[in-house]
Each structure stands twice: as structure tokens, then as C-alpha cells.
């Protein structure tokens, strides 16, 4: 099933071009609204966004399309992606939409769509929208049922209270100094407020969005500023979210980065000890470190792997009864609380274990030694370089050289024109050579 507009996480691209023009977004709104008219009731959709300048344009175009399809639109303003998922269910909406390109720079934007159950749409549902987009389009509007638009003033407050309820009632963050980097993004108000109301002393960075600085040298994809601030202020922990706050990266008290694999290991093992863990392990993608798999095995827990994309992690969790899953990048899904990745909720679970144990973050969060892992990207403009005969032969040779002591994952990015090459294994020099060699061969095939 080949999709034209949707990637691994909704529709995404450079704002004001391609699928992210006002005209195209209008059509997406009409198509999604038409597909989810499910009866005679007043249909409703909630729309949230991050802080990108293009969010104003896309919000208005999307609203127009949804209103034309007969949907009432409730505008949430800047809120995290998981807040949209939560409010879709809480407000009994027929659809939820987040306008965001997640960790991408401000020039990009995107549309993530949630069904009435708060889960991201499946491949099949996205394909239904695509079929409507490429069809004649005459039946997408609802002339006699034009919707109304309304701005929801307390959306941020609703999410803050929801997040706080996931933190154990018998614990407090009092006495902890927390650096919070919100990437000049959607959580710049809600994350520090929730942590402060739970008792923490808050130091904020990345909290001055201007429409152009989202994810710029800050946030979970560039945690150096957070790490430096932790060391400078001798903070207990640093928490870095991305632009739409569905992922988190942590820094320990020494300013060292703790990635999503370590955080998932901590949450799964602590939940297992308290009898909360379901599924006998956790779900992660093919990109998670082999060290995580070995650590879980030592705890008699399993690691189920999926293809890249938190949506696929969630699908596997739902199908097989897991309640912890995520990605090395910091997308962490806690099914007891949320239907999608939530950086703040994951951070609160880590903080709960730090408080409960009375130990430092470096002691609590570093549960295994990662296997050496190298990942590089190869740009390409068009075509399918991974189908080149020389590339296929090189991939087979690389896998044979790694043998049983390592892994190789080579895949096209679902959001950018890149081939991602990742290898890991106990022999670090071998891993590095393999990645360099493969990148060179793929680059020639892509030229």
C-alpha cells in the first residue's frame, strides 16, 4: 500500500509548499471531516498546534475545510500533541488534529490526526483520506450543515491537571531543582507549570517562542543547552521535550544525556516490581539498542520490536496487551495514561522513581551499558537507492560480518528525503566501518 501524502507520522512537509499549502490543507480538512461524519449528531473536532509561524495559516485553512464538511471546530491553541489526543476523548470529539512537524525546524509543518478513541489513524484510515483527496471532491462539503468554530480557553489547564494526576499522590517533587527545556514549542507553558505545582524548583530554557525558533539548538534533539544548564546550576535533573512535547530526553545531575531506551528500561522494571507492568515486557522499534534487549532479558522481560514510528509501537501494544512502549528518541507511550507518546508523563514517571528511591538520577537511570551504535543519514532526491543491486549486496555482506553479535537497520526516513543507516555491535570499530562503507555505496546509488 503506497501512500502519497501520509508518512510515518501524519502529513508533513515544508510549509506553504507541497502538501502543506493552504489549499491542500483545506482539502485534507474536508476529506477527514467527510470521512468521520458518523450520524445525525453535531460533529466536533479539536485542533491543537505548536508554536510555528505557519501554524496560523494551517489552522485557518484546516478549520475552513472541517467547517465546510459539517464539523464544529474547537481550537485549543498551543498544546502538546498528547493533549490533543487526551482532549479528543475527553470532549467526545469525532476527530482530533495536531498541527506540528514535531522535532523538525520551523520551516516544516504537519498534520497528525486522531480518531474518536484518541489513537492515531491506521494506515488504512489514512489511505481512505488519500482516496478522497485524489477523488472528484464534489461530495466532501456539507452545504446545509456548515459547522461553527469556537476557541477553548482552558485547554492548557485541562492538560496540566491530567498530567499531575498521573504522578503518585503520596510523592512530591519538593526539594528537586529541575531544568526544563521546552524547545520553544507547544509545552512552553504547561510542562513547567505542572512540575512547579507538584513541588519542584523550576529553571526554564527554550521558553520564548517567536514562531521561528522552535527546536533551534534546543529541546530533545539538541540537549546540549539543557545539559550545560544542569551543570551550571547543579540541578538534580534536566528534562528536554521536542516541539510538540511527545518525546523527552533527560540529563542526569552531571549533565549527561539519558536517552529513551534507558527511560523505558527504568519505567518497565519499576512497574514490574510494583506489579503494574503488562505484557511481560515492553514494545520498542528496530532502532532501540541491543543493550536494552539484553537488560530486559536479565529481568525475564521481553522486548517486542516494530518498524519505526510510535504509531506502530502503539498498534503492537494494543494488539498484545503491553502498557509500556516507545522509541530510543524519547517517544514513550504509557498506555495506562495516554494513547500516544507523552514526554511530560514519561518524565513524571522517571521523577517518581527518583523521589521514591532517594537516589540520584545517574544512579536510577543508567541501568545498562549500551552496545556501540552508529547511525548516519544519506540524502537522496528521488528514486529507490535501496533497490540497487550493489546496495543489496553490500547490505547482505554487512549483516554477515556483524553475525549474531550485532544488528543492522537501513531504512528510508518517513518524514525526510533520507536513508538512515544504523548498525550496532560489540565491536565498535567494525560497526563504524560498516556504516561508513554502506553510506558511501548508498550515496553513489542515490546520485
Amino acid at each position: 500500500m503506497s501512500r502519497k501524502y501520509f508518512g510515518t507520522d501524519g502529513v508533513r512537509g515544508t510549509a506553504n509548499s507541497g502538501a502543506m499549502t493552504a489549499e491542500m490543507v483545506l482539502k485534507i480538512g474536508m476529506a477527514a471531516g467527510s470521512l468521520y461524519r458518523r450520524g445525525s449528531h453535531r460533529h466536533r473536532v479539536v485542533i491543537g498546534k505548536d508554536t510555528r509561524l505557519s501554524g496560523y495559516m494551517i489552522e485557518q485553512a484546516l478549520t475552513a475545510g472541517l467547517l465546510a464538511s459539517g464539523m464544529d471546530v474547537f481550537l485549543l491553541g498551543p498544546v502538546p500533541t498528547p493533549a490533543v489526543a487526551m482532549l479528543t476523548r475527553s470532549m467526545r470529539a469525532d476527530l482530533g488534529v495536531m498541527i506540528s512537524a514535531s522535532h523538525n525546524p520551523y520551516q516544516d509543518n504537519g498534520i497528525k490526526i486522531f480518531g474518536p478513541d484518541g489513537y492515531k489513524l491506521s494506515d488504512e484510515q489514512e489511505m481512505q483520506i488519500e482516496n478522497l483527496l485524489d477523488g472528484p471532491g464534489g461530495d466532501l462539503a456539507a452545504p446545509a450543515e456548515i459547522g461553527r468554530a469556537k476557541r477553548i480557553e482552558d485547554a492548557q489547564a485541562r492538560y496540566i491537571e491530567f498530567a499531575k494526576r498521573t504522578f503518585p499522590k503520596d510523592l512530591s517533587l519538593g526539594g528537586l531543582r529541575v531544568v526544563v527545556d521546552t524547545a520553544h514549542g507547544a509545552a512552553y507553558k504547561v510542562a513547567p507549570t505542572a512540575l512547579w505545582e507538584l513541588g519542584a524548583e523550576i529553571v526554564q530554557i527554550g521558553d520564548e517562542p517567536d514562531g521561528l525558533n522552535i527546536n533551534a539548538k534546543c529541546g530533545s534533539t539538541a540537549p546540549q543547552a539543557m545539559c550545560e544548564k544542569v551543570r551550571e546550576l547543579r540541578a538534580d535533573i534536566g528534562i528536554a521535550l521536542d516541539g510538540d512535547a511527545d518525546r523527552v530526553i533527560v540529563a542526569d545531575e552531571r549533565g549527561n544525556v539519558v536517552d529513551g531506551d534507558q527511560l523505558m528500561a527504568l519505567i518497565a522494571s519499576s512497574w514490574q516490581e510494583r506489579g503494574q507492568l503488562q505484557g511481560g515486557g515492553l514494545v520498542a522499534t528496530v532502532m532501540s539498542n541491543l543493550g536494552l534487549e539484553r537488560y530486559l532479558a536479565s529481568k525475564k522481560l521481553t522486548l517486542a520490536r516494530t518498524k519505526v514510528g510510535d504509531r506502530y509501537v502503539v498498534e503492537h501494544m494494543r494488539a498484545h496487551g503491553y502498557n509500556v512502549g516507545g522509541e530510543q528518541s524519547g517517544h514513550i507511550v504509557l498506555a495506562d495514561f495516554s494513547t500516544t507518546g507523552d514526554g511530560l508523563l514519561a518524565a513524571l514517571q522517571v521523577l517518581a522513581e527518583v523521589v521514591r528511591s532517594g537516589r540520584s538520577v545517574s544512579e536510577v537511570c543508567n541501568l545498562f551499558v549500551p552496545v556501540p551504535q552508529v547511525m548516519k543519514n544519506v540524502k537522496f532526491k528521488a528514486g529507490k537507492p535501496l533497490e540497487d543491486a550493489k546496495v543489496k549486496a553490500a547490505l547482505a555482506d554487512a549483516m554477515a560480518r556483524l553475525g549474531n553479535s550485532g544488528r543492522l537497520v537501513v531504512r528510508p526516513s518517513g518524514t525526510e528525503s533520507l536513508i538512515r543507516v544504523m548498525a550496532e555491535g560489540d565491536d565498535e570499530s567494525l560497526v563504524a566501518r560498516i556504516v561508513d562503507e554502506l553510506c558511501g555505496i548508498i550515496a553513489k546509488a542515490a546520485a
Side-chain angles (χ1 to χ4, degrees):
M1 178 173 54
S2 177
R3 293 180 297 172
K4 183 177 179 181
Y5 305 108
F6 285 88
T8 57
D9 199 13
V11 182
R12 189 177 299 186
T14 303
N16 226 17
S17 67
M20 285 293 106
T21 63
E23 179 183 11
M24 190 63 197
V25 169
L26 174 79
K27 292 179 179 177
I28 292 172
M30 292 179 70
S34 174
L35 185 63
Y36 278 83
R37 287 203 301 265
R38 305 178 298 162
S40 59
H41 65 279
R42 292 293 302 183
H43 292 78
R44 50 171 53 185
V45 55
V46 297
I47 300 179
K49 62 180 181 178
D50 63 23
T51 56
R52 295 164 208 270
L53 179 63
S54 59
Y56 292 99
M57 174 190 75
I58 293 173
E59 181 185 56
Q60 295 301 315
L62 187 63
T63 298
L66 288 161
L67 293 175
S69 74
M71 289 272 189
D72 288 338
V73 174
F74 294 83
L75 299 168
L76 308 177
V79 292
T81 289
V84 173
M86 183 272 290
L87 288 166
T88 300
R89 292 190 298 171
S90 173
M91 296 178 64
R92 295 183 66 185
D94 299 276
L95 276 178
V97 185
M98 179 64 181
I99 301 168
S100 175
S102 192
H103 59 282
N104 286 25
Y106 84 91
Q107 295 93 336
D108 295 339
N109 217 325
I111 294 172
K112 305 179 184 184
I113 305 178
F114 297 88
D117 56 1
Y119 287 97
K120 290 179 181 177
L121 301 187
S122 66
D123 289 344
E124 291 74 22
Q125 291 168 316
E126 290 179 345
M127 199 67 202
Q128 287 180 295
I129 293 176
E130 292 210 356
N131 291 337
L132 290 174
L133 290 173
D134 288 335
D139 60 345
L140 297 183
E145 303 174 16
I146 295 174
R148 298 175 182 270
K150 178 181 180 181
R151 193 161 293 278
I152 302 299
E153 302 295 340
D154 65 344
Q156 292 183 346
R158 291 190 192 199
Y159 175 70
I160 288 168
E161 288 305 311
F162 160 75
K164 286 163 57 181
R165 287 197 300 270
T166 68
F167 191 74
K169 293 181 179 179
D170 60 331
L171 301 179
S172 168
L173 297 180
L176 287 182
R177 178 177 292 177
V178 181
V179 173
V180 184
D181 181 354
T182 47
H184 302 299
Y188 78 103
K189 289 184 179 179
V190 297
T193 300
L195 292 164
W196 182 83
E197 290 183 0
L198 287 169
E201 176 189 345
I202 300 299
V203 178
Q204 251 187 289
I205 61 174
D207 62 333
E208 298 178 356
D210 61 10
L212 308 177
N213 59 0
I214 188 170
N215 299 313
K217 297 181 180 179
C218 59
S220 64
T221 53
Q224 295 82 5
M226 170 190 66
C227 294
E228 291 172 5
K229 186 62 69 173
V230 167
R231 287 191 287 265
E232 175 192 341
L233 300 178
R234 297 183 180 180
D236 298 290
I237 189 173
I239 296 169
L241 305 171
D242 68 335
D244 69 334
D246 63 355
R247 64 168 71 180
V248 63
I249 293 294
V250 164
D252 66 21
E253 75 282 359
R254 300 167 183 163
N256 298 320
V257 168
V258 182
D259 69 12
D261 282 347
Q262 295 281 4
L263 301 182
M264 286 189 289
L266 171 64
I267 294 169
S269 58
S270 64
W271 281 22
Q272 180 198 30
E273 291 173 5
R274 269 173 286 284
Q276 295 174 243
L277 189 68
Q278 298 173 16
L282 63 84
V283 182
T285 74
V286 293
M287 302 303 290
S288 277
N289 195 275
L290 184 59
L292 172 61
E293 189 170 343
R294 292 173 177 174
Y295 170 78
L296 292 172
S298 74
K299 295 287 185 178
K300 297 183 179 179
L301 298 174
T302 59
L303 175 63
R305 292 187 184 269
T306 72
K307 58 184 178 180
V308 173
D310 67 307
R311 182 159 55 94
Y312 303 113
V313 170
V314 172
E315 287 176 0
H316 194 92
M317 291 172 66
R318 295 180 71 188
H320 300 280
Y322 292 86
N323 62 346
V324 177
E327 298 183 280
Q328 186 185 61
S329 60
H331 275 120
I332 298 178
V333 183
L334 305 176
D336 288 3
F337 308 126
S338 184
T339 57
T340 190
D342 192 318
L344 177 57
L345 266 57
L348 288 174
Q349 290 303 305
V350 172
L351 285 164
E353 188 60 27
V354 170
V355 172
R356 190 181 281 119
S357 68
R359 296 181 295 156
S360 67
V361 175
S362 61
E363 293 175 298
V364 169
C365 290
N366 293 300
L367 297 178
F368 63 88
V369 177
V371 170
Q373 187 180 81
V374 177
M375 187 175 79
K376 293 186 177 181
N377 297 321
V378 180
K379 292 184 178 181
F380 73 102
K381 294 182 179 179
K384 298 180 178 180
L386 294 184
E387 295 182 6
D388 182 89
K390 291 182 179 179
V391 172
K392 288 182 177 180
L395 292 173
D397 176 67
M399 286 188 282
R401 289 160 67 190
L402 285 170
N404 295 327
S405 63
R407 295 190 313 119
L408 177 67
V409 179
V410 180
R411 64 180 185 88
S413 167
T415 57
E416 302 171 85
S417 297
L418 301 172
I419 301 292
R420 302 196 189 278
V421 181
M422 188 279 284
E424 63 180 358
D426 296 318
D427 186 337
E428 187 170 5
S429 61
L430 173 63
V431 168
R433 285 198 306 275
I434 285 175
V435 171
D436 285 342
E437 291 168 8
L438 286 175
C439 286
I441 294 168
I442 293 170
K444 288 182 180 179

